[in-house]
């Protein structure tokens, strides 16, 4: 079945440094790749997404890259701030029904 | 909030009892989803719906059933709750927006 693997499970960085989270997916028909941020006790919130016809997408300090050949995609956060501390989830979907398969999450801690 | 509400927010129930969780949306979206979230597993899809009376199973559907009699409501039922179903349950619409979640504890 479809599977999404996410690494690392925990990541600790100094404020101002960059953070990179990587995901690989198994279903070559996947064509939509969102990233979610979840703060403690809250709902997951979409922060950025990318579709298979695009290799990279940026939104201020956040960027996502996609390598369809290798079936992996990554989230890059630059100039990290303490408020970036949260759990981040990647996901993948193959069709317009947006049935998402999630990675297991990365707990990011930004140390002041 | 984003036009999607879940009820109840918290529930404690006993093993073997039936439980129904409700998801209500005001966005008129065709697609709705139920996920459960457990430590170390991320979010796993239980069931989803692509229209009134049209539902399908997700990754972890055993022990759960769903119903969608109106566009705005998607119900998740645990026919006979077990301790392994203790979890946080999230409803989502169109894959983008999640509800606030229901924390269910089965004792």
């Amino acid at each position: 079945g479809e599977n999404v693997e996410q690494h690392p499970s925990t990541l600790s960085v100094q404020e101002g440094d960059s953070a990179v989270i990587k995901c690989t997916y198994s279903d070559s028909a996947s064509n939509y790749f969102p990233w979610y941020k979840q703060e403690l006790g809250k709902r997951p919130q979409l922060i950025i997404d990318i579709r298979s016809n695009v290799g990279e997408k940026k939104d201020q300090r956040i960027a996502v890259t996609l390598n369809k050949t290798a079936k992996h995609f990554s989230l890059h956060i630059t100039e990290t701030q303490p408020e970036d501390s949260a759990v981040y989830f990647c996901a993948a979907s193959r069709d317009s029904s947006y049935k998402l398969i999630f990675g297991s999450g990365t707990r990011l801690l930004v140390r002041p | 909030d984003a036009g999607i509400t879940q009820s109840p927010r918290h529930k404690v129930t006993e093993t073997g009892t039936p439980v129904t969780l409700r998801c209500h949306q005001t966005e008129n979206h065709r697609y709705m989803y139920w996920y459960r979230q457990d430590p170390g597993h991320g979010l796993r899809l239980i069931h989803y719906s692509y229209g009134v009376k049209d539902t399908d199973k997700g990754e972890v559907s055993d022990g759960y059933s769903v119903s969608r009699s109106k566009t705005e409501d998607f119900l998740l039922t645990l026919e006979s709750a077990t301790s392994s179903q203790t979890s946080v349950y999230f409803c989502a619409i169109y894959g983008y927006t999640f509800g606030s979640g229901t924390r269910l504890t089965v004792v």
Side-chain angles (χ1 to χ4, degrees), chain A residues 50-75:
Chain A
I50 192 167
R51 297 181 189 274
S52 60
N53 58 344
V54 175
E56 183 176 1
K57 183 177 178 180
K58 284 185 179 180
D59 183 3
Q60 299 183 341
R61 297 185 296 107
I62 293 174
V64 57
T65 57
L66 172 64
N67 183 328
K68 282 221 76 177
T69 302
K71 291 194 284 187
H72 66 71
F73 56 112
S74 300
L75 178 71

Side-chain angles (χ1 to χ4, degrees), chain B residues 14-30:
Chain B
E14 292 187 350
T15 298
T17 60
V19 178
T20 295
L21 310 183
R22 181 181 183 238
C23 179
H24 178 79
Q25 58 134 336
T26 58
E27 306 296 316
N28 202 34
H29 276 306
R30 186 176 161 196

Side-chain angles (χ1 to χ4, degrees), chain B residues 1-74:
Chain B
D1 264 327
I4 177 170
T5 55
Q6 291 184 233
S7 59
R9 292 294 311 276
H10 302 272
K11 185 168 182 68
V12 179
T13 192
E14 292 187 350
T15 298
T17 60
V19 178
T20 295
L21 310 183
R22 181 181 183 238
C23 179
H24 178 79
Q25 58 134 336
T26 58
E27 306 296 316
N28 202 34
H29 276 306
R30 186 176 161 196
Y31 297 106
M32 298 184 75
Y33 311 82
W34 275 108
Y35 287 88
R36 61 177 287 174
Q37 184 172 35
D38 305 289
H41 290 280
L43 292 121
R44 292 180 292 175
L45 182 65
I46 306 171
H47 281 281
Y48 65 105
S49 171
Y50 37 94
V52 173
K53 298 195 189 311
D54 286 326
T55 64
D56 207 346
K57 296 179 180 179
E59 306 168 74
V60 289
S61 59
D62 287 348
Y64 302 95
S65 62
V66 290
S67 66
R68 182 114 179 258
S69 59
K70 297 186 291 185
T71 298
E72 57 266 35
D73 289 325
F74 192 29

